[in-house]
Amino acid sequence: MVFLKIMMYKKISCVFALQFFVFCLTITAQKPVPQPGNGPFVFFDDDYNKYDWQTFYKLEAANKPIDLLNPNIELLNAAIFYACNEVRQSKNIKSFIFGRDLRDAAQRHSRQMCDSGFFGHNNRKDTSNYSPRQRVKNAGGRYFIVSENLARIIPFNLNNAKDYSPMKGENLTGSAEFKYFEKSGKDELTPCSYIEFAKKIVKYWLNQKAFQENLLSTHLSHLACGIALTRYPFARKNLPFIYVVGDLGGYKLD
């Protein structure tokens, strides 16, 4: 009798342990894993299927100023994507579809441009990723048409890039650092919100004939963006830039 009670107790203990293990797995699976450098809000690739530009614009995180020391890269990539689709819809053109392969290619190129100090479609620093088509192909993309839009824009609410006053000081660690003020020297410049910056990029592209044609092309169906910010944005007298790449694909082959 005692033996049976012991066996029953062990059985119940095993069942409870198994249920607790399954519960822990469920909680872990449901909890989003924050990505380093992206702040508290994480925008996943699957989220492109959950939003259109109207609903994305309502996100609280997308309306906050960009933290230039810790930018939410995925959120900014998404903001530019949706700002492009806003324009497409206003012209009665079918919205772009997000392409993970295009994003990976765009992100690589923006980072290499920023780090290597060049700006252009052809990457002479990395011949295996020389052209937009090569970069997209290396990222796993197969499109009949590949195009690319580029931009290098300051992330501040400033109409004239030269209309500011820098002030040199030091941060809490004692390192030299600049703050940027309006020309009067009274008000510190405010970084754009994610949506404001995205709209600046799209406005710039619409004013460049080749980029405008890409943006409004009915033959290009897929888009994704990649951005890179100077690693030490406040270390120089000149305002920092954000490098932006928009890779586009048409007639997907798989």
Side-chain angles (χ1 to χ4, degrees):
M1 191 70 177
V2 174
F3 176 75
L4 289 175
K5 287 183 178 180
I6 293 174
M7 291 298 292
M8 289 178 65
Y9 176 76
K10 288 184 177 180
K11 184 176 181 181
I12 293 171
S13 298
C14 290
V15 171
F16 175 77
L18 180 61
Q19 289 176 337
F20 181 74
F21 177 71
V22 172
F23 173 77
C24 291
L25 285 178
T26 303
I27 294 299
T28 303
Q30 291 176 349
K31 184 179 179 181
V33 180
Q35 300 177 16
N38 281 355
F41 184 89
V42 182
F43 193 91
F44 296 101
D45 288 351
D46 290 343
D47 290 335
Y48 282 94
N49 298 321
K50 300 177 184 178
Y51 296 96
D52 56 21
W53 68 267
Q54 293 99 328
T55 54
F56 180 86
Y57 282 5
K58 294 178 182 179
L59 288 174
E60 181 181 356
N63 287 280
K64 290 183 176 180
I66 301 169
D67 180 353
L68 299 181
L69 291 175
N70 191 31
N72 188 326
I73 292 174
E74 285 78 15
L75 186 64
L76 191 49
N77 288 342
I80 301 168
F81 172 87
Y82 287 112
C84 291
N85 275 344
E86 179 185 11
V87 172
R88 299 265 290 190
Q89 184 174 339
S90 72
K91 303 292 184 181
N92 295 315
I93 302 172
K94 188 175 180 181
S95 294
F96 284 122
I97 301 168
F98 169 73
R100 184 179 289 105
D101 40 21
L102 295 171
R103 188 275 315 284
D104 292 346
Q107 193 61 56
R108 170 191 288 272
H109 191 50
S110 64
R111 188 72 261 169
Q112 288 189 324
M113 282 195 300
C114 187
D115 289 348
S116 299
F118 74 95
F119 182 72
H121 297 290
N122 297 328
N123 186 353
R124 293 179 174 82
K125 305 284 185 177
D126 181 3
T127 55
S128 63
N129 288 287
Y130 180 76
S131 68
R133 179 170 289 279
Q134 282 178 292
R135 291 190 288 274
V136 171
K137 183 178 179 181
N138 290 343
R142 298 179 70 245
Y143 300 88
F144 186 71
I145 305 173
V146 171
S147 295
E148 186 174 77
N149 284 6
L150 300 178
R152 187 175 61 172
I153 306 291
I154 58 172
F156 292 98
N157 292 309
L158 191 66
N159 293 326
N160 188 341
K162 296 182 180 180
D163 193 19
Y164 75 99
S165 177
M167 180 181 292
K168 188 176 182 180
E170 62 180 35
N171 57 26
L172 293 176
T173 65
S175 301
E177 191 172 87
F178 283 89
K179 287 185 179 295
Y180 310 107
F181 295 83
E182 293 180 357
K183 199 65 176 178
S184 64
K186 295 179 180 180
D187 298 320
E188 189 173 354
L189 293 181
T190 304
C192 299
S193 72
Y194 289 85
I195 293 174
E196 287 172 339
F197 184 77
K199 287 179 176 290
K200 285 183 68 171
I201 294 300
V202 172
K203 182 179 179 180
Y204 171 78
W205 284 345
L206 288 173
N207 287 327
Q208 308 294 319
K209 184 178 179 181
F211 295 161
Q212 181 192 86
E213 290 176 354
N214 288 339
L215 196 60
L216 302 180
S217 173
T218 57
H219 298 292
L220 293 167
S221 56
H222 290 66
L223 166 71
C225 303
I227 70 100
L229 177 64
T230 308
R231 295 188 187 276
Y232 304 101
F234 303 116
R236 298 175 180 82
K237 181 178 179 180
N238 295 330
L239 293 170
F241 287 95
I242 292 182
Y243 290 73
V244 180
V245 177
D247 279 338
L248 308 96
Y251 304 105
K252 195 170 177 64
L253 300 177
D254 52 5

